[in-house]
Amino acid sequence: MKKRESTQLQRVIGYFHGTIFLFSVIIGAGIFIAPKGVLKYSSLNVGVSLSIWAACAIVSMMAALSHAELGTTFPRSGAQYCFLKRSLGPFIAFFYIWVNLFSAPAGIAARGLLLAGYIMQPFYPGCFVPEMPKKCLALAILWCLGILNARGVKEVAWFQTVSTVVKMTVLCFISITGIVLLVRGRKENLARFENAFDAEVPGASQIAEAFLQGLYAYSGWGVLVRIAGELKNPGENIPKCLITALSLVALTYLLVNISYLAVLTPKEIMSSDAVAVTWMDRVIPSMQWAISIGVSASIFSSLNCTVFSTSRILYVASQEGQLPLILSTLNIHSCPLVAVIQMLIFASIITIPSDLILLISYVGFIDWIQLGLMMMGLLKLRIQEPNLPRPYKVRLPFVFGTMAMSLFLVLTPIIKSPKMHHVYVLLFLFSGLLFYLPFVHFNLNSPYFNKITCFLQLLLNVSPGNDTDECISAEGTLQKNPPEIAAKKE
């Protein structure tokens, strides 16, 4: 890399591309697999299922607007991490990083498997896609994502714009077709909506699980806070983008679910691994390939956005000394390449299991634990530092509502119907102590770490960023080059 070349994260994303990023990451795998999970935990009750989808939209909007204060108060990439370190201390910040090291790759693996299934389904009409070819294709997709991200933010933004047009075309077609079928009033299309609430009503623990499935389809609204250091005017653009994108997504999701149920019975949805493809096979069989392409583009763009945003969190944590220094290096396209590679290696390993609904439960359960902690930190910081500059300040009822929902989704399944995977998740969370105490708290180091860092820098042609990213000082003012990072560079 040339000595005078500037390597830093650039503020190049405005309101339009910020909204596109939200569309890209939210409308991905969720709307194509979550309907199956929501129906399963709603006891195949159509009325309850649609009600949960509507409630998930309200909860997501409330949580997203509460979460937005983090990115506007700390306008740098990885704002969640900076906020938690400031409000709840370095251990909770490390806990957040520890969770993201594995939960983000788990979500990427789940979407990669789903994408591979959609691409291959037309080649196996009327039967399930074999597991081995699907997993091999999923791995190939993940590493193609790595290549795209390595090209930098401008290429990623261009790709997201094109793919968003494709996915919205597919979803609008599904929605409009469902409306047309219902307006025509055929008996078989209206059957699922007549006496929709007459089926079995699920219990509290099942409703909590159904919410986790539905909220997974809305997940990703935190992407703008993660990349706040690459946004123009984050204090204004983050709330505006969230309101625009989530309102349109909520309307789209309701219409798509109604369309699915107008064509397929709940049992048919439950037996399908690719609901949209099954839907198209019933409506226009000759166009099945088209919806596979559209859905594939949708999931791929969502995956791409997840890789892009999560790598920024690892980048910032590395700058703060809680992850290896090599993760805070950038290539000539201002991409934290090593952080991207590390995520994709973990996702490739997690691709081995293929129970998508279980993976969604893992990811959703952990995400809502994290969000609850962030709301606690937000309240604490409001009390301790009332004069901290806050360009956007969310109303407290939204914060308390988000905390209540977090407690409901995390505690209800554990209390009402505890399962082994809840124990595994909690054990995993506390296992972070085994790494925090020696490597972060006591700062144990080894000369081999420095040798590995130098070797990887030369191999991948990366270097530490110039670090012109804005950071909040202890007095609540914006400053450049935090002292602890500058010392590391020296």
Side-chain angles (χ1 to χ4, degrees):
M1 188 178 289
K2 297 177 183 178
K3 288 184 180 179
R4 293 187 181 179
E5 228 165 8
S6 177
T7 52
Q8 62 190 46
L9 299 179
Q10 306 286 335
R11 291 190 181 274
V12 296
I13 301 173
Y15 169 73
F16 174 75
H17 281 111
T19 305
I20 291 295
F21 263 90
L22 280 171
F23 273 123
S24 297
V25 74
I26 296 173
I27 303 179
I31 189 57
F32 305 112
I33 56 175
K36 181 176 176 178
V38 173
L39 273 172
K40 175 184 176 181
Y41 292 112
S42 299
S43 303
L44 302 187
N45 189 313
V46 171
V48 171
S49 172
L50 292 176
S51 299
I52 286 174
W53 278 103
C56 284
I58 297 170
V59 170
S60 296
M61 182 69 79
M62 178 177 65
L65 290 175
S66 300
H67 188 255
E69 185 173 320
L70 280 60
T72 58
T73 306
F74 295 81
R76 63 178 303 197
S77 292
Q80 292 101 325
Y81 169 82
C82 300
F83 172 82
L84 286 172
K85 190 174 181 183
R86 176 70 167 270
S87 60
L88 298 178
F91 172 67
I92 298 299
F94 178 82
F95 164 81
Y96 174 72
I97 292 298
W98 174 252
V99 167
N100 272 277
L101 279 173
F102 299 94
S103 67
I108 291 169
R111 296 179 190 184
L113 287 165
L114 179 72
L115 175 54
Y118 266 98
I119 292 173
M120 298 185 70
Q121 188 64 57
F123 299 100
Y124 295 89
C127 61
F128 291 106
V129 177
E131 288 297 313
M132 185 57 68
K134 183 167 75 172
K135 290 177 181 178
C136 290
L137 180 58
L139 291 173
I141 290 166
L142 294 183
W143 289 98
C144 286
L145 283 170
I147 295 171
L148 178 60
N149 271 268
R151 299 297 302 169
V153 64
K154 290 184 179 179
E155 281 74 10
V156 171
W158 174 84
F159 177 81
Q160 297 303 101
T161 302
V162 174
S163 61
T164 298
V165 172
V166 174
K167 74 172 70 176
M168 290 308 295
T169 301
V170 171
L171 291 174
C172 286
F173 174 77
I174 293 174
S175 302
I176 293 169
T177 304
I179 292 170
V180 170
L181 290 172
L182 290 175
V183 169
R184 285 183 178 178
R186 290 184 181 179
K187 187 175 180 180
E188 61 271 20
N189 299 128
L190 295 171
R192 263 78 72 189
F193 302 99
E194 294 174 354
N195 303 317
F197 289 92
D198 284 354
E200 179 186 352
V201 177
S205 61
Q206 287 179 299
I207 289 175
E209 292 286 359
F211 262 103
L212 286 175
Q213 297 289 322
L215 289 168
Y216 175 76
Y218 287 95
S219 65
W221 39 255
V223 65
L224 295 187
V225 176
R226 291 184 175 189
I227 62 172
E230 290 159 276
L231 284 174
K232 300 174 183 176
N233 192 8
E236 181 181 339
N237 281 330
I238 290 177
K240 282 172 60 180
C241 291
L242 283 169
I243 293 170
T244 303
L246 279 172
S247 299
L248 293 174
V249 167
L251 177 62
T252 303
Y253 278 7
L254 279 173
L255 292 176
V256 167
N257 274 281
I258 290 170
S259 182
Y260 285 158
L261 290 165
V263 175
L264 305 170
T265 65
K267 289 184 179 179
E268 287 173 331
I269 292 174
M270 287 297 302
S271 63
S272 172
D273 279 342
V275 179
V277 174
T278 306
W279 179 91
M280 181 61 84
D281 187 47
R282 187 68 58 83
V283 177
I284 311 176
S286 61
M287 291 293 290
Q288 192 182 71
W289 61 271
I291 205 158
S292 290
I293 293 173
V295 171
S296 299
S298 172
I299 301 171
F300 190 87
S301 68
S302 177
L303 271 169
N304 184 48
C305 210
T306 301
V307 172
F308 177 84
S309 61
T310 305
S311 64
R312 271 58 183 173
I313 294 177
L314 305 185
Y315 170 81
V316 171
S318 174
Q319 286 184 323
E320 297 290 329
Q322 290 200 341
L323 287 178
L325 183 63
I326 189 64
L327 293 173
S328 63
T329 56
L330 302 172
N331 67 3
I332 58 173
H333 301 291
S334 299
C335 167
L337 181 62
V338 182
V340 171
I341 292 173
Q342 182 265 330
M343 266 197 307
L344 294 178
I345 289 173
F346 280 22
S348 299
I349 295 170
I350 297 171
T351 298
I352 296 171
S354 57
D355 188 342
L356 293 178
I357 290 181
L358 187 58
L359 273 177
I360 291 172
S361 294
Y362 275 121
V363 175
F365 186 75
I366 289 173
D367 283 349
W368 280 89
I369 291 176
Q370 291 179 328
L371 188 59
L373 287 173
M374 289 177 194
M375 294 302 102
M376 288 171 57
L378 191 152
L379 289 174
K380 183 181 177 184
L381 212 59
R382 285 273 188 97
I383 296 169
Q384 289 185 340
E385 302 185 49
N387 297 323
L388 188 69
R390 293 177 175 88
Y392 163 78
K393 200 170 181 179
V394 69
R395 294 182 182 276
L396 287 179
F398 280 38
V399 178
F400 288 118
T402 303
M403 288 180 67
M405 195 65 191
S406 174
L407 289 171
F408 172 72
L409 293 174
V410 171
L411 296 180
T412 302
I414 295 176
I415 295 170
K416 291 287 186 179
S417 57
K419 297 176 183 176
M420 281 306 297
H421 72 257
H422 295 136
V423 177
Y424 295 148
V425 168
L426 293 174
L427 287 175
F428 158 70
L429 295 179
F430 289 111
S431 67
L433 277 170
L434 300 176
F435 291 85
Y436 176 77
L437 290 175
F439 297 112
V440 179
H441 185 72
F442 294 109
N443 199 24
L444 294 182
N445 207 340
S446 168
Y448 292 108
F449 292 167
N450 294 330
K451 291 181 180 180
I452 292 170
T453 299
C454 291
F455 172 76
L456 290 175
Q457 279 189 259
L458 293 170
L459 177 66
L460 299 171
N461 191 26
V462 294
S463 67
N466 292 339
D467 200 24
T468 57
D469 214 7
E470 291 177 334
C471 182
I472 305 293
S473 71
E475 290 77 25
T477 58
L478 291 175
Q479 65 176 10
K480 306 284 187 181
N481 281 332
E484 66 269 23
I485 299 174
K488 280 185 189 177
K489 290 186 176 181
E490 294 173 2

